[in-house]
Amino acid sequence: MLPFMTMLQIPWHDGLQYKVDALGFRHMNNFLSLARDRDTGSVYPEADGSPTVAYTPSTFDRASIQAGVVAIAKICYIQGATELIPPVRSIPSFKSDTPASERNIDDSGFSIWITQLEQADFTKALLVSGHQMGSCRMSKTKEQGVVDQHGKVWETENLYIADASVFPSASGVNPMITIMAISDRIARGIAAGLK
Ligand SMILES: Cc1cc2nc3c(=O)[nH]c(=O)nc-3n(C[C@H](O)[C@H](O)[C@H](O)COP(=O)(O)OP(=O)(O)OC[C@H]3O[C@@H](n4cnc5c(N)ncnc54)[C@H](O)[C@@H]3O)c2cc1C
């Protein structure tokens, strides 16, 4: 995992603690609970026309993220992680020296910590946003989206969009291959049209 992503996730209590934790970077990994969000945010123009993104995860989507974090913690514990640092500061990290071969998912100390994590207030969790998609949806009719199935903007001639924004909805998985495929298709369509 990239240093900037991991360092961001180490909770700050004080300078010394942060430096000590950061020194452990070479022994750490950082896992993301990536949610396919059900609910949406919005993009709206400022007075000067520049776009502003407004997005607050809904209670439903936050619960999906939290369930993912709990699942990741269980996987890491069973695989032998000696310390688990959660993305909420109200929950202390969980430490264990028990060898992986002797661990069970229902070990009492771990179970208590997992219950804390399940009940934690995730409105205070450190969340990041990635893989934005679908802000200029491809649609069958102009009422339902921004571009047609060839990537052409419905109500404007000679304007095409060929990126993640034309996804009809969030893919829920890493998007790059799909973006490349859609862009390739739209580009070929434009080239054919130019002939
Ligand atoms: C750290 C990180 C890790 C990722 N890891 C993965 C991964 O493992 N797998 C995966 O599938 N996806 C991953 N992604 C997501 C993936 O990289 C993006 O979803 C994808 O690159 C988006 O493609 P795009 O063409 O829609 O937009 P972009 O790749 O962002 O392209 C937009 C382009 O438009 C240009 N631009 C912006 N404004 C203007 C303007 N006014 N005029 C002209 N040009 C402009 C920008 O310079 C840029 O080149 C990752 C993203 C990040 C940030």
Side-chain angles (χ1 to χ4, degrees), residues 40-158:
T40 60
S42 57
V43 181
Y44 60 89
E46 295 291 352
D48 66 358
S50 60
T52 292
V53 177
Y55 184 84
T56 303
S58 67
T59 304
F60 179 90
D61 290 328
R62 217 178 274 274
S64 304
I65 294 165
Q66 190 157 358
V69 170
V70 168
I72 291 166
K74 288 179 178 173
I75 291 168
C76 292
Y77 176 71
I78 287 300
Q79 290 193 331
T82 54
E83 182 171 3
L84 297 167
I85 303 175
V88 269
R89 266 197 264 178
S90 57
I91 307 290
S93 60
F94 179 82
K95 295 181 184 172
S96 174
D97 293 328
T98 308
S101 58
E102 295 171 22
R103 293 185 184 191
N104 288 300
I105 206 69
D106 52 1
D107 289 343
S108 60
F110 181 67
S111 293
I112 292 168
W113 184 80
I114 278 290
T115 303
Q116 278 184 299
L117 192 58
E118 284 168 342
Q119 293 172 354
D121 177 6
F122 260 57
T123 58
K124 303 276 192 306
L126 176 63
L127 303 182
V128 296
S129 166
H131 301 171
Q132 294 81 2
M133 316 164 198
S135 50
C136 298
R137 282 184 198 173
M138 186 179 282
S139 59
K140 277 187 179 169
T141 66
K142 65 180 179 184
E143 287 74 27
Q144 294 171 312
V146 176
V147 300
D148 68 14
Q149 59 177 308
H150 306 291
K152 190 184 96 52
V153 174
W154 278 111
E155 295 180 320
T156 309
E157 293 308 308
N158 300 320

Side-chain angles (χ1 to χ4, degrees), residues 2 131 163-164 174-176 179:
L2 305 169
H131 301 171
D163 63 17
N174 281 345
M176 218 137 67
I179 297 168

